[in-house]
Amino acid sequence: MRIDKLLANMGFGSRKEVKSLLKKGVVKRNEEVIKNSSTHVDPANEIIKVMDEVLEYREHIYLMMNKPPGVVSATEDNRDETVIDLLEPEDVVMEPFPVGRLDKDTEGLLLITNDGKLAHQLLSPKKNVGKTYYAKIEGRVTEEDVEKFKLGVTLDDGYETKPGDLCILNRGEISEIELTITEGKFHQVKRMFEAVDKKVIYLKRLSMGTLVLDEDLELGQYRELTDEEYQYLISITNQP
Ligand code: URA
């Protein structure tokens, strides 16, 4: 990786600012001064120092966000605020992206990382990672709906879903439910309820596998994954 890209990624300023830092002769690789911004370095195996401080280089970041409504799960958008706009600049420089999508009006657990390989594996239908949602539904959710979801329902485009595990928490004019599904089709939860003539009026993702939303995170807040949470993700991706 070019030294100027590395330093810019690690928050030492824009490429231009990094160039002038290099010119000052304060950046070293294994004690040798680097002045040329196009020099290639290997931060995993070489000791890079800036003003005699050793750089603690990390290639990847893994963040858990409690996504607020009104914000889109994308890196860029012409109209709406994105989840990346909610991050601190030192995290944005790592170029993270959301793993999968939650609708603009959906809240809850969103993993944000720059680890493309891990994101790809987590989203793979082969990994069967269960995603659990809490929802408020207009109408009375019934045991019949539970049975239908158990078998899989037919969406508006004819797609037959895999089984969903529907648990009724509270039934009434507005019902409250939890639903676990292993797929992530576009608007899947909303469309599964449409398939049984009901409407989702509030949706929040609670968990992905054993990665559970930290309820201490207010809407829009985020934190790094703990080691334990990270190890869990790695264990999923290592499964055959
Ligand atoms: N299903 C939906 O309908 N919307 C989401 O945001 C996530 C799952």
Side-chain angles (χ1 to χ4, degrees):
M1 175 188 285
R2 281 175 59 129
I3 185 72
D4 56 351
K5 180 155 199 265
L6 171 71
L7 296 179
N9 280 359
M10 293 196 67
F12 284 92
S14 63
R15 288 267 185 121
K16 207 166 148 199
E17 286 162 340
V18 163
K19 199 170 178 172
S20 80
L21 192 68
L22 282 155
K23 275 203 185 134
K24 285 185 192 150
V26 294
V27 180
K28 290 183 190 162
R29 171 192 25 212
N30 300 336
E31 297 308 323
E32 159 218 354
V33 172
I34 304 176
K35 289 197 166 176
N36 186 341
S37 14
S38 63
T39 306
H40 278 255
V41 293
D42 174 4
N45 293 303
E46 295 172 338
I47 297 173
I48 312 292
K49 287 186 185 171
V50 179
M51 289 183 272
D52 287 325
E53 292 275 332
V54 176
L55 287 196
E56 295 292 337
Y57 177 69
R58 280 195 310 161
E59 191 179 358
H60 293 129
I61 52 165
Y62 303 90
L63 306 172
M64 170 192 290
M65 177 182 278
N66 185 2
K67 180 193 168 298
V71 171
V72 293
S73 315
T75 49
E76 280 175 81
D77 196 273
N78 290 336
R79 271 188 320 182
D80 291 309
E81 195 176 24
T82 72
V83 289
I84 302 301
D85 296 331
L86 302 180
L87 303 181
E88 297 294 331
E90 67 259 33
D91 295 320
V92 177
V93 291
M94 303 286 284
E95 299 179 352
F97 54 87
V99 178
R101 277 175 179 259
L102 287 180
D103 297 337
K104 186 172 163 185
D105 58 352
T106 302
E107 299 177 6
L109 177 64
L110 187 66
L111 182 64
I112 299 175
T113 182
N114 57 354
D115 185 342
K117 219 161 126 188
L118 181 122
H120 178 76
Q121 298 242 24
L122 281 177
L123 295 175
S124 160
K126 278 188 252 153
K127 297 289 177 189
N128 261 326
V129 178
K131 289 161 269 264
T132 300
Y133 295 85
Y134 163 84
K136 288 187 183 160
I137 312 291
E138 208 171 74
R140 201 177 182 81
V141 179
T142 62
E143 289 306 324
E144 208 184 326
D145 298 329
V146 174
E147 290 308 311
K148 284 184 183 163
F149 277 32
K150 216 180 258 177
L151 297 172
V153 293
T154 309
L155 302 185
D156 47 5
D157 58 359
Y159 177 78
E160 302 268 344
T161 70
K162 287 191 185 163
D165 185 10
L166 176 59
C167 175
I168 304 170
L169 304 177
N170 192 2
R171 63 188 101 204
E173 274 174 38
I174 305 285
S175 304
E176 289 176 89
I177 62 96
E178 277 186 18
L179 174 64
T180 303
I181 53 175
T182 55
E183 302 170 288
K185 300 279 173 222
F186 185 59
H187 296 328
Q188 178 147 352
V189 175
K190 292 174 184 163
R191 288 160 74 213
M192 285 177 80
F193 277 97
E194 275 165 24
V196 293
D197 296 320
K198 295 185 177 76
K199 187 165 184 241
V200 172
I201 53 171
Y202 172 83
L203 187 59
K204 175 180 181 179
R205 183 156 64 195
L206 302 175
S207 63
M208 286 171 77
T210 63
L211 188 64
V212 178
L213 176 66
D214 181 341
E215 290 289 348
D216 286 341
L217 291 174
E218 306 268 343
L219 285 170
Q221 283 186 336
Y222 70 97
R223 65 158 169 80
E224 292 209 33
L225 291 193
T226 62
D227 264 358
E228 206 178 324
E229 288 165 341
Y230 169 72
Q231 290 307 332
Y232 161 70
L233 291 186
I234 295 297
S235 74
I236 298 180
T237 57
N238 286 341
Q239 279 164 18

